Amino acid sequence: MSHWIDIANLADIPQRGARVVKTADGCVAIFRTAEDEVFALNNACPHKAGPLAEGIVHGKAVTCPLHNWVISLETGEAQGADQGRVSTYPARVVDGRILLDLSFLRARVPA
């Protein structure tokens, strides 16, 4: 069962920008693309846990600020020759507000 929580106004995140939402289960990076699409990923790069929210958003990807790994915002998969994946979470925009499915987040965290 979904449990959508209101986390921010879409306008609070600049286009091609990100913000971090701290939850009881860890930090989630919320990304906004130039086309106003919203994606939610674990904030730690699979390479050396770089802060993805501080990376450069381009298209539907983010480049980690530590070692330039490119991570797909849609799948969480590392691109190119790099291998690894971060968790992704359902996020959507309703009436200008960003919603995150907290129940899905909790389902992904190991016990």
Side-chain angles (χ1 to χ4, degrees):
M1 180 175 166
S2 293
H3 185 252
W4 294 95
I5 58 168
D6 185 321
I7 57 170
N9 189 330
L10 181 63
D12 292 342
I13 302 175
Q15 287 183 322
R16 295 184 306 272
R19 293 289 183 267
V20 174
V21 175
K22 294 181 180 179
T23 75
D25 300 318
C27 292
V28 176
I30 309 298
F31 297 92
R32 179 181 176 189
T33 68
E35 292 77 30
D36 292 333
E37 292 178 281
V38 174
F39 296 94
L41 283 75
N42 184 306
N43 192 40
C45 179
H47 177 223
K48 299 226 177 193
L52 292 176
E54 295 176 20
I56 298 170
V57 177
H58 47 97
K60 292 184 183 180
V62 61
T63 298
C64 180
L66 292 187
H67 300 101
N68 296 321
W69 277 38
V70 177
I71 307 297
S72 166
L73 296 176
E74 294 177 300
T75 66
E77 294 284 336
Q79 304 297 289
D82 298 323
Q83 295 182 354
R85 183 180 185 285
V86 297
S87 295
T88 60
Y89 308 104
R92 63 184 180 189
V93 178
V94 177
D95 296 328
R97 301 293 302 175
I98 300 171
L99 306 178
L100 179 65
D101 187 350
L102 186 60
S103 63
F104 194 84
L105 176 65
R106 290 176 189 264
R108 287 277 186 99
V109 175

XYZ file of all heavy atoms in Angstrom:
836
model
N 0.838 -1.178 0.000
C 0.000 0.000 0.000
C 0.886 1.246 0.000
O 1.822 1.366 0.767
C -0.889 -0.007 1.248
C -1.795 1.164 1.332
S -2.880 0.949 2.774
C -3.512 2.571 2.888
N 0.595 2.162 -0.891
C 1.382 3.391 -1.004
C 1.079 4.342 0.146
O -0.031 4.395 0.654
C 1.075 4.098 -2.317
O 1.534 3.330 -3.398
N 2.092 5.069 0.545
C 1.938 6.091 1.563
C 2.692 7.331 1.084
O 3.872 7.522 1.398
C 2.484 5.606 2.906
C 2.248 6.578 4.010
N 3.259 7.319 4.563
C 1.117 6.950 4.658
C 2.761 8.101 5.497
N 1.472 7.904 5.575
N 2.031 8.140 0.267
C 2.660 9.317 -0.320
C 2.748 10.432 0.705
O 1.770 10.750 1.371
C 1.854 9.786 -1.529
C 1.882 8.807 -2.663
C 0.965 7.841 -2.925
C 2.898 8.677 -3.656
N 1.341 7.111 -4.036
C 2.528 7.614 -4.506
C 4.083 9.360 -3.911
C 3.299 7.219 -5.597
C 4.854 8.964 -4.998
C 4.457 7.902 -5.830
N 3.945 11.014 0.827
C 4.126 12.143 1.727
C 4.544 13.362 0.907
O 5.279 13.252 -0.070
C 5.164 11.852 2.832
C 6.522 11.484 2.239
C 4.657 10.768 3.777
C 7.648 11.467 3.239
N 4.060 14.506 1.309
C 4.376 15.778 0.662
C 5.722 16.239 1.208
O 5.880 16.424 2.410
C 3.266 16.781 0.990
C 3.430 18.095 0.260
O 4.569 18.573 0.119
O 2.398 18.654 -0.140
N 6.708 16.424 0.306
C 8.036 16.781 0.791
C 8.490 18.179 0.399
O 9.366 18.743 1.048
C 9.091 15.754 0.358
C 9.113 15.598 -1.156
C 8.860 14.431 1.047
C 10.274 14.792 -1.652
N 7.924 18.751 -0.674
C 8.385 20.081 -1.096
C 7.522 20.615 -2.229
O 6.809 19.859 -2.897
C 9.836 20.021 -1.558
N 7.648 21.905 -2.446
C 7.052 22.540 -3.613
C 8.023 22.306 -4.770
O 9.238 22.393 -4.584
C 6.892 24.040 -3.325
C 6.097 24.751 -4.373
O 6.096 24.380 -5.539
N 5.430 25.807 -3.963
N 7.519 22.024 -5.957
C 8.380 21.817 -7.114
C 9.318 23.009 -7.313
O 10.500 22.850 -7.625
C 7.547 21.579 -8.379
C 8.341 21.333 -9.667
C 9.178 20.068 -9.567
C 7.400 21.268 -10.857
N 8.816 24.205 -7.077
C 9.619 25.416 -7.254
C 10.776 25.526 -6.254
O 11.695 26.313 -6.458
C 8.723 26.646 -7.154
N 10.748 24.723 -5.185
C 11.826 24.740 -4.198
C 13.114 24.117 -4.738
O 14.188 24.322 -4.172
C 11.421 23.998 -2.927
C 10.333 24.720 -2.153
O 10.130 25.922 -2.378
O 9.682 24.055 -1.316
N 13.006 23.323 -5.804
C 14.173 22.690 -6.411
C 14.373 23.324 -7.779
O 13.476 23.273 -8.619
C 13.991 21.167 -6.547
C 13.737 20.529 -5.180
C 15.207 20.535 -7.226
C 13.422 19.050 -5.231
N 15.517 23.929 -8.035
C 15.732 24.539 -9.346
C 15.800 23.486 -10.444
O 16.149 22.325 -10.180
C 17.074 25.255 -9.191
C 17.754 24.587 -8.060
C 16.674 24.062 -7.157
N 15.464 23.877 -11.668
C 15.616 22.955 -12.782
C 17.073 22.515 -12.849
O 17.982 23.306 -12.614
C 15.198 23.612 -14.091
C 13.698 23.783 -14.200
C 13.284 24.369 -15.536
O 13.945 25.226 -16.091
N 12.171 23.902 -16.040
N 17.289 21.222 -13.133
C 18.610 20.597 -13.157
C 19.290 20.691 -11.785
O 20.507 20.790 -11.685
C 19.489 21.184 -14.266
C 18.965 20.889 -15.652
C 19.898 21.381 -16.741
N 20.231 22.791 -16.620
C 19.523 23.794 -17.138
N 18.421 23.539 -17.810
N 19.910 25.045 -16.992
N 18.469 20.638 -10.738
C 18.991 20.708 -9.376
C 18.485 19.558 -8.540
O 17.775 18.676 -9.017
N 18.846 19.576 -7.263
C 18.457 18.504 -6.348
C 18.390 19.025 -4.921
O 18.977 20.050 -4.591
C 19.447 17.346 -6.429
N 17.682 18.297 -4.100
C 17.607 18.551 -2.666
C 17.647 17.198 -1.963
O 17.248 16.184 -2.515
C 16.304 19.262 -2.279
C 16.178 20.664 -2.809
C 17.141 21.618 -2.100
N 16.986 22.982 -2.552
C 17.677 23.551 -3.522
N 18.563 22.852 -4.200
N 17.480 24.811 -3.848
N 18.092 17.208 -0.717
C 18.148 15.982 0.076
C 17.012 15.993 1.079
O 16.768 16.998 1.751
C 19.499 15.852 0.806
C 19.502 14.651 1.739
C 20.635 15.745 -0.199
N 16.332 14.867 1.168
C 15.287 14.668 2.167
C 15.823 13.629 3.145
O 16.199 12.525 2.747
C 13.977 14.158 1.514
C 12.945 13.830 2.580
C 13.437 15.167 0.530
N 15.890 14.002 4.405
C 16.357 13.074 5.441
C 15.152 12.324 5.974
O 14.171 12.933 6.383
C 17.080 13.823 6.543
C 18.371 14.445 6.070
C 19.095 15.173 7.175
C 20.367 15.768 6.618
N 21.118 16.505 7.617
N 15.237 10.998 5.949
C 14.166 10.162 6.480
C 14.749 9.273 7.574
O 15.972 9.200 7.734
C 13.552 9.254 5.378
O 14.463 8.185 5.095
C 13.243 10.033 4.107
N 13.886 8.597 8.279
C 14.339 7.661 9.305
C 15.152 6.527 8.686
O 15.940 5.877 9.358
C 13.141 7.101 10.067
N 14.967 6.312 7.385
C 15.647 5.219 6.691
C 16.880 5.667 5.911
O 17.496 4.879 5.215
C 14.664 4.531 5.742
C 13.474 3.953 6.488
O 13.679 3.370 7.563
O 12.350 4.094 6.004
N 17.239 6.938 5.984
C 18.411 7.426 5.262
C 18.091 8.646 4.417
O 16.961 9.138 4.416
N 19.089 9.122 3.695
C 18.932 10.329 2.872
C 18.534 9.967 1.448
O 19.139 9.100 0.819
C 20.229 11.121 2.859
S 20.631 11.834 4.460
N 17.535 10.677 0.956
C 17.042 10.494 -0.407
C 17.270 11.795 -1.162
O 16.948 12.879 -0.658
C 15.531 10.146 -0.406
C 14.994 10.057 -1.828
C 15.294 8.837 0.344
N 17.860 11.690 -2.350
C 18.072 12.855 -3.203
C 16.882 12.985 -4.152
O 16.501 12.015 -4.807
C 19.364 12.707 -3.999
N 16.289 14.169 -4.180
C 15.177 14.455 -5.085
C 15.725 15.341 -6.195
O 16.246 16.423 -5.923
C 14.026 15.179 -4.351
C 13.620 14.424 -3.073
C 12.846 15.386 -5.298
C 13.094 13.035 -3.288
N 15.620 14.883 -7.433
C 16.158 15.592 -8.587
C 15.031 16.147 -9.445
O 14.001 15.504 -9.614
C 17.003 14.648 -9.455
C 18.206 14.112 -8.749
C 18.149 12.916 -8.059
C 19.405 14.807 -8.776
C 19.267 12.418 -7.401
C 20.529 14.324 -8.123
C 20.464 13.129 -7.434
N 15.269 17.333 -10.009
C 14.335 17.948 -10.957
C 15.093 18.181 -12.259
O 16.148 18.816 -12.276
C 13.825 19.278 -10.413
C 12.870 19.996 -11.344
C 12.435 21.320 -10.740
N 11.590 22.076 -11.648
C 11.209 23.328 -11.438
N 11.610 23.961 -10.335
N 10.457 23.949 -12.310
N 14.558 17.665 -13.357
C 15.210 17.832 -14.652
C 14.801 19.160 -15.285
O 13.917 19.861 -14.780
C 14.828 16.694 -15.616
O 13.442 16.818 -15.964
C 15.105 15.318 -15.015
N 15.413 19.489 -16.404
C 15.073 20.707 -17.142
C 13.640 20.653 -17.656
O 13.014 21.688 -17.894
C 16.040 20.906 -18.309
N 13.093 19.445 -17.795
C 11.712 19.256 -18.261
C 10.726 19.136 -17.100
O 9.592 18.716 -17.286
C 11.619 18.013 -19.158
C 12.340 18.156 -20.483
C 13.864 18.019 -20.360
O 14.334 17.295 -19.454
O 14.582 18.665 -21.147
N 11.170 19.451 -15.895
C 10.347 19.401 -14.683
C 9.919 17.995 -14.278
O 8.941 17.820 -13.560
C 9.130 20.325 -14.786
C 9.526 21.785 -14.806
O 10.588 22.128 -14.249
O 8.766 22.591 -15.383
N 10.663 16.979 -14.710
C 10.429 15.631 -14.216
C 11.138 15.515 -12.867
O 12.169 16.145 -12.636
C 10.980 14.588 -15.183
C 10.222 14.524 -16.490
C 10.835 13.507 -17.417
O 11.865 13.837 -18.044
O 10.297 12.389 -17.497
N 10.589 14.691 -11.979
C 11.137 14.526 -10.640
C 11.500 13.060 -10.432
O 10.732 12.165 -10.773
C 10.118 14.995 -9.576
C 10.606 14.700 -8.182
C 9.844 16.479 -9.742
N 12.698 12.842 -9.868
C 13.188 11.496 -9.582
C 13.740 11.463 -8.161
O 14.282 12.461 -7.681
C 14.303 11.106 -10.564
C 13.844 11.027 -11.989
C 13.969 12.122 -12.825
C 13.287 9.863 -12.495
C 13.542 12.072 -14.145
C 12.856 9.797 -13.813
C 12.991 10.908 -14.635
N 13.624 10.313 -7.512
C 14.132 10.140 -6.147
C 15.072 8.938 -6.118
O 14.713 7.858 -6.571
C 12.974 9.937 -5.179
N 16.279 9.158 -5.602
C 17.294 8.115 -5.514
C 17.978 8.173 -4.160
O 18.013 9.231 -3.527
C 18.395 8.332 -6.568
C 18.160 7.980 -8.018
C 17.272 8.974 -8.690
C 19.480 7.906 -8.745
N 18.575 7.055 -3.776
C 19.454 7.066 -2.614
C 20.538 8.093 -2.902
O 21.054 8.159 -4.022
C 20.048 5.673 -2.418
C 20.897 5.577 -1.178
O 21.824 6.350 -0.984
N 20.578 4.616 -0.333
N 20.938 8.883 -1.932
C 21.881 9.976 -2.166
C 23.332 9.528 -2.275
O 24.202 10.324 -2.585
C 21.756 11.030 -1.055
C 22.491 12.307 -1.391
O 22.470 12.779 -2.521
N 23.161 12.870 -0.406
N 23.645 8.266 -2.062
C 25.032 7.794 -2.069
C 25.379 7.078 -3.368
O 24.767 6.075 -3.724
C 25.268 6.854 -0.886
N 26.374 7.597 -4.078
C 26.860 6.970 -5.312
C 27.325 5.537 -5.014
O 27.925 5.291 -3.959
C 28.011 7.805 -5.882
S 28.741 7.128 -7.391
N 27.078 4.593 -5.934
C 27.501 3.209 -5.677
C 29.022 3.026 -5.704
O 29.524 2.005 -5.253
C 26.837 2.416 -6.810
C 26.653 3.399 -7.906
C 26.387 4.719 -7.221
N 29.754 4.002 -6.192
C 31.211 3.879 -6.280
C 31.864 4.078 -4.917
O 32.376 3.134 -4.329
C 31.756 4.881 -7.302
C 33.242 4.886 -7.428
N 33.965 6.041 -7.524
C 34.146 3.876 -7.462
C 35.257 5.743 -7.626
N 35.394 4.440 -7.593
N 31.807 5.305 -4.392
C 32.426 5.599 -3.091
C 31.512 6.458 -2.232
O 31.963 7.273 -1.443
C 33.773 6.283 -3.287
C 34.753 5.411 -4.046
C 36.091 5.399 -3.411
C 36.981 4.448 -4.205
N 38.180 4.118 -3.539
N 30.202 6.288 -2.430
C 29.170 6.961 -1.626
C 29.187 8.481 -1.757
O 28.817 9.191 -0.831
C 29.243 6.535 -0.172
N 29.604 8.984 -2.909
C 29.577 10.431 -3.145
C 28.160 10.971 -3.050
O 27.195 10.265 -3.346
N 28.001 12.227 -2.629
C 26.672 12.833 -2.464
C 26.060 13.210 -3.818
O 26.352 14.273 -4.369
C 26.961 14.072 -1.608
C 28.373 14.448 -1.980
C 29.076 13.153 -2.268
N 25.213 12.356 -4.350
C 24.654 12.574 -5.681
C 23.896 13.895 -5.802
O 23.894 14.514 -6.867
C 23.755 11.401 -6.086
C 24.485 10.078 -6.316
C 23.488 8.973 -6.621
C 25.518 10.205 -7.421
N 23.261 14.337 -4.728
C 22.493 15.586 -4.784
C 23.388 16.788 -5.074
O 22.902 17.832 -5.498
C 21.721 15.813 -3.484
N 24.695 16.647 -4.867
C 25.634 17.725 -5.153
C 26.215 17.611 -6.555
O 27.069 18.408 -6.952
C 26.756 17.728 -4.117
C 26.264 18.045 -2.719
C 27.365 17.962 -1.674
O 28.553 18.041 -2.037
O 27.015 17.786 -0.489
N 25.755 16.606 -7.324
C 26.263 16.383 -8.669
C 25.585 17.265 -9.710
O 24.720 18.082 -9.396
N 25.988 17.078 -10.962
C 25.446 17.842 -12.083
C 24.353 17.025 -12.758
O 24.583 15.890 -13.182
C 26.552 18.174 -13.092
C 27.615 19.058 -12.414
C 25.984 18.861 -14.326
C 28.868 19.240 -13.239
N 23.150 17.607 -12.843
C 22.014 16.947 -13.499
C 22.043 17.325 -14.974
O 22.129 18.499 -15.331
C 20.673 17.377 -12.852
C 19.507 16.747 -13.580
C 20.659 17.006 -11.375
N 21.983 16.309 -15.833
C 21.958 16.532 -17.278
C 21.058 15.470 -17.894
O 21.228 14.285 -17.648
C 23.377 16.484 -17.870
C 24.190 15.314 -17.397
N 24.314 14.142 -18.106
C 24.900 15.134 -16.257
C 25.069 13.292 -17.438
N 25.438 13.875 -16.297
N 20.068 15.931 -18.664
C 19.088 14.991 -19.200
C 18.399 14.270 -18.059
O 17.901 14.895 -17.130
N 18.409 12.944 -18.133
C 17.828 12.127 -17.061
C 18.934 11.367 -16.335
O 18.815 10.186 -16.041
C 16.788 11.168 -17.633
C 15.558 11.889 -18.160
C 14.501 10.917 -18.626
C 13.326 11.671 -19.223
N 12.281 10.768 -19.684
N 20.030 12.085 -16.049
C 21.170 11.493 -15.361
C 21.788 12.529 -14.432
O 21.535 13.726 -14.551
C 22.213 11.006 -16.374
N 22.605 12.030 -13.502
C 23.369 12.907 -12.608
C 24.809 12.401 -12.600
O 25.048 11.192 -12.603
C 22.778 12.939 -11.176
C 22.780 11.567 -10.524
C 23.512 13.958 -10.319
N 25.753 13.333 -12.616
C 27.160 12.983 -12.525
C 27.629 13.214 -11.101
O 27.491 14.316 -10.564
C 28.002 13.831 -13.505
O 27.570 13.545 -14.839
C 29.488 13.502 -13.388
N 28.166 12.163 -10.489
C 28.637 12.242 -9.107
C 29.770 13.263 -9.002
O 30.680 13.274 -9.837
C 29.116 10.869 -8.648
S 29.727 10.864 -6.949
N 29.740 14.109 -7.962
C 30.770 15.134 -7.833
C 32.147 14.603 -7.412
O 33.141 15.300 -7.558
C 30.206 16.066 -6.754
C 29.333 15.184 -5.927
C 28.738 14.201 -6.903
N 32.233 13.372 -6.940
C 33.526 12.854 -6.482
C 34.393 12.294 -7.604
O 35.544 12.659 -7.748
C 33.339 11.780 -5.406
C 32.790 12.240 -4.057
C 32.826 11.089 -3.060
C 33.570 13.427 -3.517
N 33.831 11.364 -8.394
C 34.642 10.672 -9.396
C 33.972 10.612 -10.769
O 34.331 9.779 -11.596
C 34.986 9.263 -8.904
C 35.751 9.266 -7.624
N 35.152 9.008 -6.411
C 37.045 9.542 -7.356
C 36.064 9.104 -5.455
N 37.217 9.436 -5.996
N 32.986 11.471 -10.984
C 32.339 11.622 -12.295
C 31.586 10.399 -12.806
O 31.400 10.261 -14.010
C 33.348 12.093 -13.350
C 33.874 13.468 -13.034
O 33.134 14.339 -12.578
N 35.164 13.669 -13.248
N 31.152 9.525 -11.914
C 30.283 8.442 -12.366
C 28.953 9.061 -12.780
O 28.438 9.979 -12.116
C 30.033 7.439 -11.245
C 31.120 6.420 -11.082
C 32.464 6.616 -11.202
C 30.938 5.049 -10.744
N 33.133 5.444 -10.946
C 32.227 4.469 -10.672
C 29.825 4.259 -10.492
C 32.414 3.129 -10.363
C 30.020 2.932 -10.170
C 31.300 2.373 -10.118
N 28.371 8.544 -13.857
C 27.079 9.016 -14.344
C 26.023 7.986 -13.955
O 26.146 6.798 -14.278
C 27.096 9.237 -15.872
C 25.727 9.662 -16.363
C 28.152 10.287 -16.237
N 24.981 8.451 -13.251
C 23.926 7.579 -12.740
C 22.607 7.961 -13.403
O 22.219 9.135 -13.425
C 23.784 7.719 -11.208
C 25.140 7.504 -10.499
C 22.699 6.789 -10.663
C 25.743 6.143 -10.664
N 21.883 6.977 -13.930
C 20.566 7.209 -14.525
C 19.570 7.569 -13.432
O 19.455 6.856 -12.428
C 20.088 5.959 -15.258
O 18.710 6.058 -15.562
N 18.848 8.668 -13.627
C 17.807 9.044 -12.669
C 16.605 8.113 -12.766
O 15.867 7.945 -11.808
C 17.367 10.489 -12.907
C 18.438 11.560 -12.670
C 17.893 12.935 -13.035
C 18.919 11.539 -11.231
N 16.413 7.497 -13.926
C 15.263 6.601 -14.124
C 15.472 5.233 -13.493
O 14.556 4.677 -12.906
C 14.992 6.431 -15.614
C 14.541 7.700 -16.293
C 14.351 7.528 -17.774
O 15.323 7.176 -18.474
O 13.218 7.737 -18.233
N 16.685 4.683 -13.595
C 16.920 3.312 -13.142
C 17.863 3.207 -11.950
O 17.925 2.159 -11.308
C 17.520 2.466 -14.280
O 18.838 2.974 -14.583
C 16.631 2.488 -15.523
N 18.663 4.248 -11.696
C 19.670 4.181 -10.649
C 20.944 3.485 -11.083
O 21.898 3.377 -10.316
N 20.999 3.009 -12.331
C 22.154 2.272 -12.847
C 23.282 3.206 -13.249
O 23.048 4.263 -13.842
C 21.755 1.447 -14.080
C 20.782 0.336 -13.802
C 21.412 -0.876 -13.138
O 22.627 -1.086 -13.278
O 20.672 -1.611 -12.469
N 24.525 2.778 -12.957
C 25.698 3.492 -13.446
C 25.761 3.326 -14.960
O 25.406 2.270 -15.498
C 26.953 2.933 -12.788
N 26.194 4.367 -15.645
C 26.238 4.367 -17.101
C 27.663 4.109 -17.603
O 28.617 4.234 -16.855
C 25.740 5.710 -17.628
C 24.342 6.080 -17.126
C 23.278 5.104 -17.575
O 22.925 5.054 -18.747
N 22.768 4.310 -16.652
N 27.777 3.789 -18.889
C 29.085 3.557 -19.499
C 29.730 2.301 -18.957
O 29.063 1.306 -18.690
N 31.050 2.360 -18.767
C 31.803 1.192 -18.318
C 31.662 0.944 -16.815
O 32.008 -0.121 -16.320
C 33.275 1.365 -18.667
N 31.143 1.941 -16.081
C 31.002 1.793 -14.632
C 29.850 0.854 -14.297
O 28.865 0.783 -15.026
C 30.765 3.160 -13.980
C 31.948 4.100 -14.193
O 33.090 3.612 -14.172
O 31.712 5.294 -14.389
N 29.994 0.139 -13.194
C 28.961 -0.801 -12.780
C 28.541 -0.518 -11.349
O 29.375 -0.261 -10.488
C 29.453 -2.241 -12.907
C 29.718 -2.650 -14.336
C 30.155 -4.103 -14.425
O 30.362 -4.773 -13.416
N 30.285 -4.592 -15.639
N 27.247 -0.586 -11.109
C 26.693 -0.355 -9.783
C 25.315 0.249 -9.934
O 24.875 0.595 -11.036
N 24.617 0.334 -8.821
C 23.245 0.824 -8.852
C 22.895 1.416 -7.506
O 23.333 0.929 -6.473
C 22.300 -0.334 -9.163
C 20.870 0.058 -9.299
C 19.984 -1.160 -9.619
N 18.637 -0.739 -9.860
C 17.776 -0.366 -8.925
N 18.131 -0.383 -7.664
N 16.565 0.023 -9.241
N 22.070 2.472 -7.536
C 21.500 3.011 -6.313
C 20.004 2.755 -6.332
O 19.407 2.603 -7.400
C 21.784 4.525 -6.141
C 23.271 4.781 -6.017
C 21.196 5.330 -7.254
N 19.406 2.717 -5.164
C 17.960 2.508 -5.084
C 17.220 3.727 -5.610
O 17.646 4.864 -5.413
C 17.539 2.254 -3.640
O 18.096 1.049 -3.169
N 16.123 3.467 -6.294
C 15.233 4.529 -6.760
C 13.902 4.381 -6.018
O 13.552 3.287 -5.567
C 14.982 4.431 -8.275
O 14.378 3.174 -8.573
C 16.280 4.575 -9.065
N 13.183 5.499 -5.908
C 11.929 5.502 -5.166
C 10.870 6.248 -5.959
O 11.192 7.226 -6.657
C 12.124 6.177 -3.799
C 13.288 5.590 -3.043
C 14.496 6.273 -2.950
C 13.191 4.341 -2.456
C 15.581 5.729 -2.280
C 14.275 3.787 -1.780
C 15.460 4.488 -1.706
O 16.528 3.929 -1.053
N 9.619 5.846 -5.839
C 8.554 6.548 -6.558
C 8.395 7.982 -6.054
O 8.316 8.230 -4.850
C 7.300 5.727 -6.248
C 7.794 4.382 -5.830
C 9.115 4.641 -5.157
N 8.384 8.907 -6.995
C 8.140 10.319 -6.693
C 7.255 10.866 -7.796
O 7.310 10.401 -8.935
C 9.452 11.091 -6.621
N 6.443 11.848 -7.462
C 5.563 12.449 -8.459
C 5.236 13.875 -8.047
O 5.478 14.280 -6.907
C 4.291 11.627 -8.637
C 3.417 11.532 -7.405
C 2.229 10.626 -7.630
N 1.400 10.555 -6.432
C 0.419 9.720 -6.292
N 0.116 8.860 -7.235
N -0.296 9.714 -5.186
N 4.702 14.613 -9.000
C 4.288 15.987 -8.745
C 2.773 16.062 -8.885
O 2.209 15.621 -9.885
C 4.962 16.971 -9.727
C 4.479 18.389 -9.470
C 6.473 16.889 -9.609
N 2.113 16.594 -7.856
C 0.665 16.783 -7.859
C 0.389 18.215 -7.414
O 0.804 18.616 -6.315
C -0.045 15.773 -6.921
C -1.542 16.044 -6.874
C 0.228 14.339 -7.355
N -0.276 18.964 -8.273
C -0.619 20.363 -7.958
C 0.607 21.171 -7.513
O 0.543 21.959 -6.562
C -1.715 20.435 -6.893
C -3.024 19.825 -7.363
O -3.318 19.908 -8.585
O -3.751 19.263 -6.530
N 1.744 20.939 -8.179
C 2.946 21.699 -7.873
C 3.709 21.234 -6.645
O 4.707 21.840 -6.257
N 3.254 20.153 -6.012
C 3.920 19.617 -4.818
C 4.602 18.292 -5.166
O 4.060 17.485 -5.916
C 2.909 19.376 -3.687
C 2.142 20.597 -3.226
C 2.976 21.632 -2.548
N 3.668 21.095 -1.372
C 4.549 21.797 -0.657
N 4.851 23.040 -0.979
N 5.127 21.257 0.390
N 5.785 18.065 -4.612
C 6.506 16.818 -4.827
C 6.101 15.830 -3.744
O 6.156 16.149 -2.552
C 8.027 17.041 -4.790
C 8.439 18.027 -5.888
C 8.763 15.708 -4.943
C 9.878 18.475 -5.781
N 5.706 14.637 -4.176
C 5.300 13.579 -3.255
C 6.267 12.405 -3.380
O 6.703 12.060 -4.477
C 3.879 13.104 -3.564
C 2.789 14.171 -3.606
C 1.456 13.537 -3.969
C 2.697 14.909 -2.286
N 6.596 11.785 -2.252
C 7.489 10.630 -2.199
C 6.736 9.491 -1.527
O 6.067 9.699 -0.515
C 8.740 10.995 -1.390
C 9.803 9.923 -1.196
C 10.443 9.542 -2.516
C 10.861 10.414 -0.223
N 6.863 8.295 -2.106
C 6.193 7.121 -1.535
C 7.048 6.541 -0.416
O 7.989 5.794 -0.656
C 5.943 6.076 -2.621
C 5.108 4.907 -2.125
O 4.873 4.794 -0.899
O 4.682 4.093 -2.960
N 6.738 6.929 0.802
C 7.503 6.509 1.966
C 7.416 5.001 2.193
O 8.388 4.374 2.605
C 7.029 7.252 3.214
C 7.828 7.029 4.484
C 9.269 7.472 4.299
C 7.195 7.760 5.649
N 6.292 4.374 1.889
C 6.157 2.936 2.112
C 7.116 2.168 1.211
O 7.686 1.150 1.622
C 4.720 2.475 1.879
O 4.337 2.682 0.526
N 7.342 2.654 -0.005
C 8.281 1.993 -0.902
C 9.702 2.143 -0.376
O 10.509 1.230 -0.441
C 8.162 2.600 -2.310
C 8.841 1.788 -3.360
C 8.188 0.706 -3.948
C 10.129 2.089 -3.773
C 8.810 -0.031 -4.929
C 10.754 1.345 -4.755
C 10.084 0.270 -5.330
N 10.007 3.306 0.172
C 11.323 3.545 0.761
C 11.572 2.542 1.886
O 12.593 1.887 1.938
C 11.423 4.976 1.285
C 12.713 5.355 2.012
C 13.902 5.318 1.071
C 12.573 6.718 2.652
N 10.636 2.418 2.762
C 10.800 1.493 3.897
C 10.909 0.047 3.434
O 11.619 -0.748 4.032
C 9.646 1.645 4.880
C 9.690 2.963 5.613
C 8.469 3.132 6.513
N 8.416 4.463 7.041
C 8.878 4.816 8.223
N 9.411 3.929 9.019
N 8.798 6.056 8.622
N 10.240 -0.296 2.335
C 10.292 -1.662 1.827
C 11.673 -2.006 1.278
O 12.055 -3.164 1.245
C 9.244 -1.856 0.746
N 12.447 -0.987 0.842
C 13.763 -1.227 0.249
C 14.891 -1.293 1.257
O 15.983 -1.685 0.937
C 14.091 -0.082 -0.738
C 13.313 -0.119 -2.015
C 14.007 -1.097 -2.973
N 13.384 -1.080 -4.268
C 13.826 -0.420 -5.307
N 14.903 0.335 -5.219
N 13.209 -0.487 -6.460
N 14.641 -0.860 2.487
C 15.710 -0.815 3.488
C 15.837 -2.194 4.142
O 14.860 -2.728 4.638
C 15.424 0.270 4.546
C 16.470 0.237 5.640
C 15.376 1.636 3.884
N 17.040 -2.789 4.141
C 17.210 -4.104 4.773
C 16.942 -4.037 6.270
O 17.230 -3.039 6.913
C 18.688 -4.443 4.520
C 19.193 -3.468 3.526
C 18.256 -2.295 3.546
N 16.405 -5.101 6.790
C 16.100 -5.174 8.229
C 17.346 -5.380 9.039
O 18.341 -5.856 8.601
C 15.096 -6.284 8.496
